[in-house]
Amino acid sequence: MNVAFIGLGVMGYPMAGHLQKAGHQVAVYNRTQSKAEAWVETYGGTLGITPAAAAEGAEIVFCCVGNDNDLREVILGEQGALKGLKAGAILVDHTTASAEVARELYQAAQQQGSHFLDAPVSGGQAGAENGVLTVMVGGDQEVFDRAEPVIRCFARQARLIGAVGAGQLAKMVNQICIAGIVQGLSEGLHFAKTVGLDAEAVVEVISKGAAQSWQMENRSKTMLEDKFDYGFAVDWMRKDLSIALNEARKQGAHLPLTALVDQFYAEVQSLGGGRWDTSSLIKRLDAFKQR
Amino acid sequence: MNVAFIGLGVMGYPMAGHLQKAGHQVAVYNRTQSKAEAWVETYGGTLGITPAAAAEGAEIVFCCVGNDNDLREVILGEQGALKGLKAGAILVDHTTASAEVARELYQAAQQQGSHFLDAPVSGGQAGAENGVLTVMVGGDQEVFDRAEPVIRCFARQARLIGAVGAGQLAKMVNQICIAGIVQGLSEGLHFAKTVGLDAEAVVEVISKGAAQSWQMENRSKTMLEDKFDYGFAVDWMRKDLSIALNEARKQGAHLPLTALVDQFYAEVQSLGGGRWDTSSLIKRLDAFKQR
């Protein structure tokens, strides 16, 4: 199938690669063109000089960029993908963005006879590289059914959660849960170290019960080793939490802990940790302790 | 082996039962004597009129009561277990209490030639009934080695974490982690409901990734059904968090989220939820929403 991929960041680069390896003909676009050139050299496929050029002739155009504004530019802009998109084609957006921009793009696609799915992912860089992402999708069932087999090239699971925007809202739930888990785990490990416990032994025991979490199983060891290069960066988490907090404000949901943890992440940024992974909340607690 | 069990609450009652069923001769004491009588009727064993009487002749005296003060009374009091404890015997305390009282009891036992282990448990009422508790132990290795096979009558795992008090401190780490997880999960599910998502579908998708937790897997369904009768009560959680927060204050650990969630639990109590399980934090968020 002719497809396109717009945005070859740490996520998009390997995702697009899985599409090409699965036998699809992929046209790629990236703002920094040298990256797109490197991709074509590695995988084959073709280079689009603009998003519109990449989208031309594609059945499905995938997109994975930074934020709402980047999205509007590469989709709705002068040379945006919608300009090249043929009638009946599907635009699948893997960016974590607002539900609002998802609705905006859905309508813009509809107006020219094409389709849109908001489809943010979880699983991180490792999930993208190994093709085992989880994809949370909002949009129409028949459009999802057409896109799903292709999405599966880089995903272990893809699920339609509801109408347009529902994928983004589900991703927000994911990030809200993580914020609480990571801060709780950080306080637990910080406490363990402060009172002189063998923290690894404690984790081994409590990770079989009600305190267990993916974060505990996968991050506590590196947190205790003061290593924060193992996952999703604080700068990106803050973007995601700001989207969730804005949506909550609009709809009247209460997120006191999420708001607080967002502020803690701001303090991690002030410690120079914008590129550390999200488990660096413990470093903020330890930093107070050292003074 | 002759053993004793002091405190036949929702935890102690079945724990003592497992000991008797495993072939030990159990002498029981309970403040409300009718419960101890019922226990003897069910399991056999013998009734102690006082903690001291129950402890007489026992190789190991188990204890599971409410808090530090209850503990001091049944162990150190006029008719406390230490009065009946023979030289070389072991006192194993399963109460969740402070590390301070653990050290106090350890020394008192030592002064009369006997031994003490602080051994708080996790796994809740179901874990006690099914004999699959997790036991976090502080004390001396050789004492632990003697007690462990007997503890195993009601535990799936028992682990010596460190010197006296370490069991209690490990339990605090457990409760701190849970506080963050449950509040995060509550905000996630409250958000999902508020924005109109199919929350069960969202949980199904995100519970395979970085937002996964034991709490998500075991409590989100009941939380969404507004059922809060499935585990450890808010009143008890507040007791445990107050122990952790006091210890943190003494030792200079920072627990901002734990302190906040403790306050949220105080609000759940104000809503009449002292006996609801810990997952009722979502009810507090939903309560605001309804107004």
Side-chain angles (χ1 to χ4, degrees):
Chain A
M1 188 186 287
N2 286 322
V3 301
F5 208 108
I6 294 168
L8 301 172
V10 292
M11 300 297 288
Y13 197 98
M15 288 162 81
H18 285 293
L19 290 168
Q20 184 75 24
K21 283 188 285 182
H24 300 292
Q25 288 76 51
V26 186
V28 293
Y29 168 82
N30 194 63
R31 194 161 46 186
T32 306
Q33 196 176 304
S34 56
K35 248 194 199 168
E37 287 163 358
W39 188 93
V40 170
E41 204 158 304
T42 306
Y43 292 105
T46 57
L47 182 91
I49 300 294
T50 64
E56 233 160 88
E59 304 287 327
I60 306 182
V61 177
F62 297 91
C63 175
C64 193
V65 296
N67 56 39
D68 283 21
N69 287 339
D70 295 342
L71 253 185
R72 289 193 179 96
E73 194 190 316
V74 298
I75 305 299
L76 303 176
E78 270 302 290
Q79 320 212 278
L82 277 188
K83 290 283 198 297
L85 205 64
K86 65 177 182 184
I90 305 172
L91 185 58
V92 179
D93 176 33
H94 293 299
T95 312
T96 294
S98 68
E100 196 185 330
V101 77
R103 289 182 207 108
E104 211 177 304
L105 297 177
Y106 178 91
Q107 285 180 349
Q110 208 172 33
Q111 274 166 16
Q112 64 168 65
S114 53
H115 309 284
F116 178 84
L117 298 170
D118 54 298
V121 302
S122 71
Q125 193 175 339
E129 284 164 359
N130 299 318
V132 294
L133 292 169
T134 288
V135 189
M136 293 151 269
V137 186
D140 302 328
Q141 182 75 53
E142 62 275 21
V143 177
F144 175 74
D145 291 343
R146 277 173 55 203
E148 195 202 355
V150 190
I151 292 174
R152 287 289 186 147
C153 295
F154 48 75
R156 180 166 43 189
Q157 65 168 341
R159 174 141 180 188
L160 185 71
I161 305 286
V164 56
Q168 296 298 352
L169 294 169
K171 178 72 188 281
M172 295 176 210
V173 175
N174 190 69
Q175 305 301 68
I176 291 165
C177 291
I178 289 174
I181 292 169
V182 176
Q183 178 64 18
L185 179 58
S186 295
E187 294 192 10
L189 296 180
H190 165 77
F191 177 89
K193 291 199 293 181
T194 304
V195 302
L197 284 174
D198 175 349
E200 281 194 52
V202 175
V203 165
E204 234 182 277
V205 174
I206 68 177
S207 64
K208 279 149 194 134
Q212 180 276 343
S213 65
W214 184 98
Q215 298 287 338
M216 180 179 275
E217 283 183 1
N218 291 276
R219 292 286 178 270
S220 53
K221 194 168 180 306
T222 47
M223 288 164 83
L224 290 169
E225 289 167 349
D226 213 34
K227 289 180 182 162
F228 303 104
D229 196 22
Y230 288 87
F232 193 62
V234 166
D235 286 344
W236 296 110
M237 186 61 167
R238 284 214 77 199
K239 186 206 74 172
D240 291 5
L241 292 180
S242 111
I243 292 171
L245 289 166
N246 282 330
E247 187 71 33
R249 186 183 302 265
K250 260 193 281 183
Q251 304 229 27
H254 297 267
L255 304 181
L257 169 59
T258 309
L260 182 65
V261 174
D262 177 53
Q263 292 302 309
F264 291 163
Y265 278 125
E267 294 173 4
V268 173
Q269 288 175 319
S270 296
L271 291 171
R275 294 287 152 174
W276 298 342
D277 73 43
T278 49
S279 71
S280 57
L281 284 172
I282 191 175
K283 210 166 160 68
R284 175 190 162 278
L285 294 167
D286 292 346
F288 286 120
K289 184 69 192 153
Q290 283 156 13
R291 284 167 197 199
Chain B
M1 189 184 289
N2 286 322
V3 302
F5 208 108
I6 294 169
L8 301 172
V10 292
M11 300 297 287
Y13 197 99
M15 289 162 79
H18 284 292
L19 290 169
Q20 183 76 23
K21 283 187 286 180
H24 300 292
Q25 288 77 50
V26 186
V28 294
Y29 167 82
N30 194 62
R31 193 160 48 186
T32 305
Q33 195 175 303
S34 57
K35 248 195 199 167
E37 287 162 359
W39 188 93
V40 170
E41 205 158 303
T42 306
Y43 292 106
T46 57
L47 182 90
I49 300 293
T50 64
E56 234 161 86
E59 304 287 327
I60 306 183
V61 176
F62 297 91
C63 174
C64 193
V65 296
N67 56 38
D68 282 21
N69 286 340
D70 296 342
L71 254 186
R72 288 194 180 96
E73 195 189 316
V74 298
I75 305 299
L76 303 176
E78 270 303 291
Q79 320 213 277
L82 277 189
K83 290 282 196 299
L85 204 64
K86 66 176 182 183
I90 305 172
L91 184 59
V92 180
D93 176 33
H94 293 300
T95 312
T96 294
S98 69
E100 197 184 331
V101 76
R103 288 182 208 110
E104 211 176 304
L105 298 178
Y106 178 91
Q107 286 181 347
Q110 208 172 31
Q111 273 165 17
Q112 64 167 65
S114 54
H115 309 284
F116 177 84
L117 297 170
D118 54 297
V121 303
S122 73
Q125 191 175 339
E129 285 164 359
N130 299 318
V132 293
L133 291 168
T134 288
V135 188
M136 294 151 268
V137 186
D140 302 328
Q141 181 76 53
E142 62 276 20
V143 178
F144 175 74
D145 291 343
R146 277 173 57 203
E148 196 203 353
V150 189
I151 292 174
R152 286 289 187 148
C153 294
F154 47 75
R156 181 166 43 189
Q157 64 167 343
R159 175 141 180 187
L160 185 71
I161 305 286
V164 56
Q168 294 299 350
L169 294 168
K171 178 71 188 282
M172 295 176 208
V173 174
N174 189 70
Q175 304 302 67
I176 292 165
C177 291
I178 289 175
I181 292 170
V182 176
Q183 177 64 20
L185 179 59
S186 294
E187 294 191 10
L189 296 179
H190 165 77
F191 177 89
K193 290 199 295 182
T194 303
V195 303
L197 283 175
D198 175 349
E200 281 194 52
V202 175
V203 166
E204 233 182 278
V205 174
I206 69 177
S207 63
K208 279 150 194 134
Q212 180 276 344
S213 64
W214 184 99
Q215 298 288 338
M216 180 180 275
E217 284 183 359
N218 291 276
R219 292 286 177 270
S220 53
K221 193 168 181 305
T222 47
M223 289 164 82
L224 290 169
E225 288 167 350
D226 214 34
K227 289 178 183 163
F228 302 104
D229 197 22
Y230 288 88
F232 193 63
V234 166
D235 285 343
W236 296 110
M237 186 62 167
R238 283 214 78 199
K239 185 205 76 170
D240 291 5
L241 292 180
S242 110
I243 293 170
L245 290 166
N246 281 331
E247 187 70 33
R249 187 183 300 267
K250 261 193 278 182
Q251 303 229 27
H254 297 266
L255 304 181
L257 169 59
T258 309
L260 182 66
V261 174
D262 176 54
Q263 292 301 310
F264 290 163
Y265 278 126
E267 294 173 4
V268 173
Q269 288 176 319
S270 296
L271 290 171
R275 294 285 152 175
W276 298 342
D277 74 42
T278 50
S279 71
S280 56
L281 284 171
I282 191 175
K283 210 167 161 66
R284 176 189 162 277
L285 293 167
D286 292 347
F288 286 120
K289 186 65 194 156
Q290 284 155 12
R291 286 168 194 198

